[in-house]
Amino acid sequence: MSLHQFFSIMRARRGLAGLILLATLALALAWVVLRPATYVARAPVLVDVRTDPTGTTPLQGMVSPGYISTQIDIVKSDRVAERVVQMLPPDQQPMLRLREQASRKSSPQQWIVNAIQRQLDVKPARESNIINISWSGRSPSEAARVANAFAQAYLDTNLSLKTAPAKRYSEWFDQQVAAARERLEQAQAKLSAFQEKAGIISSSEQGDYETARLAELSAQLMVAQGRRRAGAGETSAEVLQSPLVNNMRADVAKLESKVQEASATMGPNHPKMQQMEAELRAMRARLAAESSRLGAAAAVSSQASANRVRELQEALAAQKARVLATNKQRGELSVLQREVDSAQKAFETVSASAAQSRLQSLSTQSNVLFLGSAVEPLEPSGPTPLQAMLVALGGGLLLGMAGALLAELANRRVRSVEDLEMVTQLPILGVVPAPKSRITPLRLANTPRRLALTPQRSLA
């Protein structure tokens, strides 16, 4: 279709196009006049997990999109909407209007919740952790009131979602703390009873003392046995090493030499010879007595060494039995001590977890911050009357042209030379104008008695 054909159709169908345009403008005007004014109030909240007071692991940088989507779903949940219904004053809009409408419903409370949710819009700010909570109302005060109620209900719900599990955990941990304390007390009672029965205060100190005592007795026994072995040959050695015996032997030897010298000149009956022999016998008697005395003393010492060895052996055997018994007691004491340590560690761990859960359950702050209350909008949302009429004008023109084209396609007429060529499928050799006639080709094309544009077969 050429541009000339298009304008010919529009000129011929201008009545229909104008009617469509006027109808579109009338509908737009009625919408502008009759539509209720809608005001949108926005309450921004900040989701910041870097200052999460509940003790969870802090995140750095931007919050993940999944986390933001979860928070948006929480704002849109029925739990938040029910909280909003409880917070809104029942004697003010929109609760008066919604309660009046809900009175005719089967479940009025759920209908009110759904009605409030339908006018809610929650969107995250671009490249930030801010969530914008918007609500559309019929008045500025109503929109601001409900938007602020949604923001506060979201903060309360977010805090409840964090503290409610902590409260349940706190109750469970309190029970575990009581059970752990009971186990610890039982383990400590067993340990104390065993220490009192065995007479052991500390397994390490008692074992070290008994082991040191055993080592000391072993060392003493070795020394005593060495002395005993050496005591067997000490009798003659002590006699030979005695200064008195050596001096007496020297005196005996000197006297014997004198007697031998005197015997060469004197006979045995000589008084001096007899005197010297008497002195020699007396000196030999004293030497024998001293040697006998020293030998008896050495024998007594050897017997004492044997007795000492026997005593040490008995004491060593008793100490070995004591060490074995002590080691057994130390093992039992170590087992009881480990039970006490394990119970103490479990009690401390459960107590720390219980304290943390109790602290979280008492928290009054969450990681969601209210940036500011929603202000009452100054102008209603949506297009202005002028914008609506301009859009309707553009849409009406398009609809009018489309209606004219559809009407022309339904009942096509010959309106130009191109239409004549298309209907006859013959070339146009010439066009004879009628300049002096009042009926121009354009007026002829617009007359109601114009030819129908019906394709016909060529007679050739």
Side-chain angles (χ1 to χ4, degrees):
M1 179 183 294
S2 64
L3 188 62
H4 178 68
Q5 289 177 314
F6 175 75
F7 281 113
S8 298
I9 294 173
M10 291 296 103
R11 185 177 181 84
R13 303 285 184 178
R14 61 181 179 274
L16 178 61
L19 182 62
I20 294 174
L21 176 60
L22 291 176
T24 304
L25 292 176
L27 291 176
L29 181 60
W31 179 79
V32 169
V33 173
L34 298 178
R35 68 157 183 159
T38 303
Y39 297 87
V40 178
R42 180 176 58 87
V45 294
L46 173 64
V47 180
D48 187 8
V49 297
R50 294 175 298 178
T51 57
D52 190 356
T54 60
T56 57
T57 303
L59 302 177
Q60 298 296 333
M62 297 291 294
V63 180
S64 63
Y67 186 83
I68 292 294
S69 300
T70 302
Q71 300 304 311
I72 292 176
D73 292 338
I74 292 176
V75 178
K76 295 180 179 180
S77 64
D78 292 346
R79 183 173 179 176
V80 175
E82 292 173 357
R83 175 67 176 169
V84 171
V85 172
Q86 297 175 358
M87 294 174 59
L88 291 176
D91 56 344
Q92 296 182 9
Q93 297 294 347
M95 294 306 299
L96 287 175
R97 181 176 66 255
L98 292 177
R99 291 183 185 278
E100 181 180 354
Q101 297 174 359
S103 60
R104 297 186 294 270
K105 306 297 180 180
S106 58
S107 54
Q109 186 67 21
Q110 186 62 36
W111 187 89
I112 293 175
V113 170
N114 296 335
I116 288 181
Q117 288 177 329
R118 283 194 296 269
Q119 297 172 268
L120 176 66
D121 185 22
V122 184
K123 293 181 179 179
R126 186 176 180 181
E127 297 181 357
S128 68
N129 302 340
I130 297 176
I131 298 178
N132 294 317
I133 302 176
S134 303
W135 197 82
S136 303
R138 295 186 179 181
S139 65
S141 59
E142 175 184 336
R145 187 185 307 113
V146 179
N148 290 328
F150 262 104
Q152 187 61 46
Y154 166 57
L155 265 66
D156 297 342
T157 303
N158 185 276
L159 180 60
S160 176
L161 292 176
K162 293 180 181 299
T163 57
K167 291 179 180 178
R168 293 193 296 270
Y169 292 154
S170 178
E171 296 176 358
W172 182 80
F173 276 123
D174 289 340
Q175 299 176 0
Q176 298 303 313
V177 166
R181 183 184 295 108
E182 184 178 358
R183 289 193 297 269
L184 177 59
E185 291 175 353
Q186 292 177 357
Q188 289 178 343
K190 290 181 180 179
L191 179 60
S192 300
F194 181 79
Q195 287 177 336
E196 183 179 358
K197 179 180 178 181
I200 300 176
I201 299 177
S202 175
S203 60
S204 59
E205 295 179 0
Q206 184 72 14
D208 293 343
Y209 171 75
E210 297 295 341
T211 303
R213 177 61 178 168
L214 179 63
E216 181 182 357
L217 290 175
S218 299
Q220 292 178 3
L221 179 60
M222 292 177 63
V223 172
Q225 288 176 345
R227 289 180 179 178
R228 182 182 179 184
R229 287 192 297 269
E234 282 182 354
T235 302
S236 59
E238 289 183 358
V239 173
L240 294 176
Q241 294 177 1
S242 175
L244 180 59
V245 172
N246 291 334
N247 292 333
M248 293 176 68
R249 285 177 180 176
D251 294 340
V252 170
K254 290 178 182 181
L255 188 58
E256 286 179 350
S257 65
K258 289 180 178 181
V259 170
Q260 288 178 0
E261 290 177 359
S263 63
T265 58
M266 295 181 224
N269 296 323
H270 192 279
K272 190 175 181 179
M273 187 64 139
Q274 292 179 355
Q275 183 181 358
M276 293 176 60
E277 288 179 355
E279 292 178 359
L280 178 60
R281 287 192 299 270
M283 190 172 294
R284 285 176 177 176
R286 288 196 301 273
L287 177 60
E290 185 64 24
S291 297
S292 178
R293 187 185 64 80
L294 291 176
V300 172
S301 177
S302 177
Q303 184 64 31
S305 297
N307 295 335
R308 178 61 177 170
V309 169
R310 186 169 55 254
E311 293 175 357
L312 289 176
Q313 288 177 345
E314 295 175 355
L316 183 62
Q319 185 64 26
K320 286 182 179 179
R322 189 178 298 108
V323 168
L324 293 176
T326 303
N327 289 337
K328 182 179 179 181
Q329 292 175 349
R330 288 175 62 186
E332 296 178 1
L333 185 64
S334 298
V335 172
L336 295 176
Q337 186 64 48
R338 284 195 297 268
E339 291 181 358
V340 172
D341 294 341
S342 178
Q344 181 69 32
K345 184 177 181 180
F347 175 73
E348 292 176 356
T349 302
V350 174
S351 298
S353 301
Q356 184 178 3
S357 298
R358 194 176 300 108
L359 179 62
Q360 293 180 5
S361 64
L362 297 176
S363 176
T364 58
Q365 299 294 329
S366 68
N367 62 325
V368 180
L369 305 177
F370 202 178
L371 295 183
S373 301
V375 297
E376 298 182 2
L378 300 179
E379 297 180 357
S381 62
T384 62
L386 178 59
Q387 292 174 344
M389 295 306 296
L390 290 177
V391 171
L393 178 61
L397 290 176
L398 294 177
L399 291 176
M401 288 186 291
L405 290 176
L406 291 176
E408 186 66 20
L409 291 176
N411 187 13
R412 190 68 187 276
R413 301 296 181 181
V414 176
R415 303 186 186 281
S416 63
V417 177
E418 291 83 356
D419 294 339
L420 188 60
E421 287 181 350
M422 184 175 62
V423 71
T424 61
Q425 296 183 355
L426 296 175
I428 302 300
L429 300 179
V431 177
V432 179
K436 295 182 180 181
S437 176
R438 293 183 180 180
I439 303 177
T440 61
L442 183 59
R443 292 182 61 187
L444 181 63
N446 294 330
T447 57
R449 290 188 246 177
R450 51 190 176 275
L451 297 175
L453 188 58
T454 304
Q456 298 180 0
R457 291 185 178 180
S458 176
L459 296 177

